[in-house]
Amino acid sequence: MSSREIHVVVVGGSWAGVTAVRELIELSYLTYPGLHITLVEQRTHYFHKTGIIRGLADKKYAEQMFIPYNRLFSHGTSVAHNHRFVCARLKHVHEHFIEVEGGSRLFYDYLIIATGTEYKSLPVTSSVTAEECYAQYQAMRDAMEAADRILFVGGGAVGIGLCGEIAEMYPKKTITLAHARERLLNEDLSDNFASSTEARLQKMGVKLVLGETVVPSEFGTELNPNVVSPPSPSIAPSLAGAKSIINSERKSRHIGAPSIAPSIAYSTSQSVVPSVFHRYTASISPSETSSLNSSDPISHRYRFQWNVRPHEVVTKRGQKIECDLAIWTTGSRPQTAFMKTLLPSNDKFPLVDAVSGSISVRPTLQLADARFPYIFAVGDVNSLSISEKYATSAVNQAKQAVGNIRALIDDCYDFRIKMSAAMAANTAAKANLLPYMGTKKGVVVALGRNQEVSNTFFAKINSWARGGKRGRKYLLDKAQEMLNY
C-alpha cells in the first residue's frame, strides 16, 4: 500500500464520471490512501438523462431524476475526506490544471473527461437545478397537451421514445415522426431492427416521414429549433387560451408564427450555479420543487418557449407537414469547447475532431496525442464509434480508464512534477496499459410504458431481468444504486 499523494480530477457526473469516481474510491481504500479525487459537475445533482423520455410522461418519475451526490464518496459506513465534489462549469483544460467558471483552478496528476453530449434542441437537458428541470418538463407537457398535431423531427432513440410516450398518453392526437434517413435509428443497427420499430410505431398510430430533412424555419434556429423567448408572466396566456388560439387560427387557415430571436434556452443557471468549492452540495428534496404549478413565476418562464399554433414545416424536397407543435430531437453534440486551451503537439492532428466535436482517443482511452498520457476521455465525449454511445459502454470505459490510471501510477505516477512532456510520453508508452475492447450488448428501445423493441434475444431477456420493460424505469434504479441511494 502506497501513501503517495496523487490528485485525480473527474469532469462530468453522469454514468461514466460517477463510475470512474466509484472505481477510484475503491482504489484509494485498497491501495492508495493518498489518492485525492475531485468530481467536477455543473449540475447540483446527478441528472438521469437516460430517463428523460419517461420523465416527460411521468411527473413522479421526473421528481426522482435528480439524485444528490452527497453519498457518492461514502465507502461502507465511512466517508472519505480526501475527496470532494465541485459544483461548477468547466471552462478550460490546461496541461496540468483545469479552470472552472469563476476562475478557480484545480491541479491534477490525472484527468478523466466525461462531459458527455448535450441536446441543444431539448432545453430540459440543459437544466442545472432540479427546479429548472421540473419547470422545463412542465412547459413541454403544457405545450403537448395544447397541441392536437405534434411533429417530432429526428428518428433516433430519443425521437422514437418520445413518439411512443406521447402516442400512448394521447392516442387521439396526430403524431408524426420525420427522419432524414430512409430507416429509423442509427446506421449501426440493422434494417430488420429499424423495420420492426417502424411497424410498432405505425401500429400505435404514428405517421412516419422517412428520407426527408426538415428545414428549421422562423420557429427556431438550426441549433435551437425548439427554443423561443418566453413572455413575461404578466402576459403569458393560459393553457385554455392557447387551445383557443389554435382552434381559431385553424378555422381561418392561418399558417405561420411571429418571428423569433435566435437565442439559447431560457435559463436561470447563471445565477444559481456556485463557482466555489465545497465537499458536498446541499440536498434538494423533490417535495420542495414538486409544488411548481401554472401560477409559479419559474413555471411561467418556461411555459411558452414552445410555439403552439398551426403552421407548416417544409422539408428540403418541398414536402409540407402541418402541425401545431414541432419538437426537434436532433443536434446531440459532445461538450468539448473547453479543450481549445490545450494545445496539441502537432497542429495537423487536433485534439478534437472538427466534424463530430468529439475528443480523439487511443484504444487505451487516453488522448490520441502522446503528449498527454495522463488525460483520458470516456463515454459519449470521445471518438469511439456510435455503437459505443450507450450507458453500459460508458460504465465499462470508465472502469478501463481507471485500470489504466492504476497501471500508470505504478510505473510513472508523477507526470506533473518529475517529468518533461517528452519523457512522460516515452515512459507512458512502456506502461502495461490495456485497450478498451468494446461492449457486447443488445439495444432496447422503449415505446411508451408497455412496449419495447430489441435487436437481440439477450437484450430482451436482460431488460425483463432488470425489472420489466425498459420504459418503466430507464435504468433509474441502477443510477440510484450507483449513487448509494
Side-chain angles (χ1 to χ4, degrees), residues 17-38:
V18 172
T19 298
V21 169
R22 287 176 60 91
E23 293 290 308
L24 289 164
I25 290 172
E26 192 70 19
L27 191 61
S28 72
Y29 272 88
L30 295 177
T31 313
Y32 299 105
L35 196 63
H36 294 257
I37 306 163
T38 301

Side-chain angles (χ1 to χ4, degrees), residues 152-161 163 177-181 183-186 197 201 208-210 329-330:
F152 291 95
V153 182
V158 174
I160 292 170
C163 277
L177 174 61
H179 189 51
R181 297 179 68 242
R183 289 291 190 186
L184 292 179
L185 297 166
N186 301 319
T197 305
L201 285 172
L208 300 180
V209 179
L210 302 179
T329 57
T330 59

Side-chain angles (χ1 to χ4, degrees), residues 21 24 38 95 131 156-157 172 210 229 257 285 294 337 382 410 473:
V21 169
L24 289 164
T38 301
E95 194 167 348
E131 295 97 326
K172 294 184 179 181
L210 302 179
S229 300
S285 169
S294 59
N382 67 28
D410 289 339
K473 292 186 178 180

Side-chain angles (χ1 to χ4, degrees), residues 209-225:
V209 179
L210 302 179
E212 294 281 356
T213 301
V214 176
V215 181
S217 63
E218 69 269 21
F219 281 80
T221 68
E222 186 172 356
L223 286 179
N224 294 339

Side-chain angles (χ1 to χ4, degrees), residues 332-354:
S332 174
R333 189 171 178 83
Q335 300 183 63
T336 54
F338 47 77
M339 293 291 290
K340 294 178 181 178
T341 48
L342 193 65
L343 301 179
S345 56
N346 189 332
D347 291 338
K348 294 182 179 179
F349 302 100
L351 301 176
V352 176
D353 182 81

Side-chain angles (χ1 to χ4, degrees), residues 260-321:
I260 299 164
S263 61
I264 61 172
Y266 191 89
S267 171
T268 58
S269 60
Q270 292 183 349
S271 62
V272 299
V273 181
S275 297
V276 297
F277 298 115
H278 52 92
R279 191 171 302 280
Y280 299 119
T281 184
S283 172
I284 299 177
S285 169
S287 63
E288 295 177 289
T289 56
S290 60
S291 60
L292 291 175
N293 54 49
S294 59
S295 62
D296 261 333
I298 293 180
S299 296
H300 273 306
R301 291 177 182 178
Y302 303 97
R303 169 164 295 181
F304 281 92
Q305 69 180 22
W306 298 89
N307 252 333
V308 183
R309 60 174 56 206
H311 63 285
E312 287 181 344
V313 297
V314 182
T315 69
K316 286 186 176 180
R317 295 179 182 178
Q319 181 174 343
K320 296 180 180 180
I321 306 172

Side-chain angles (χ1 to χ4, degrees), residues 128-198:
V128 176
T129 66
E131 295 97 326
E132 185 180 356
C133 175
Y134 301 146
Q136 292 278 17
Y137 266 137
Q138 189 58 51
M140 200 168 176
R141 292 190 195 104
D142 288 348
M144 288 190 296
E145 186 176 343
D148 291 329
R149 302 169 301 174
I150 304 175
L151 167 66
F152 291 95
V153 182
V158 174
I160 292 170
L162 282 173
C163 277
E165 292 285 355
I166 304 310
E168 186 178 81
M169 289 172 62
Y170 303 106
K172 294 184 179 181
K173 291 184 184 292
T174 300
I175 310 296
T176 304
L177 174 61
H179 189 51
R181 297 179 68 242
E182 296 293 340
R183 289 291 190 186
L184 292 179
L185 297 166
N186 301 319
E187 61 273 10
D188 64 313
L189 298 172
S190 70
D191 285 346
N192 288 338
F193 185 45
S195 297
S196 177
T197 305
E198 292 163 12

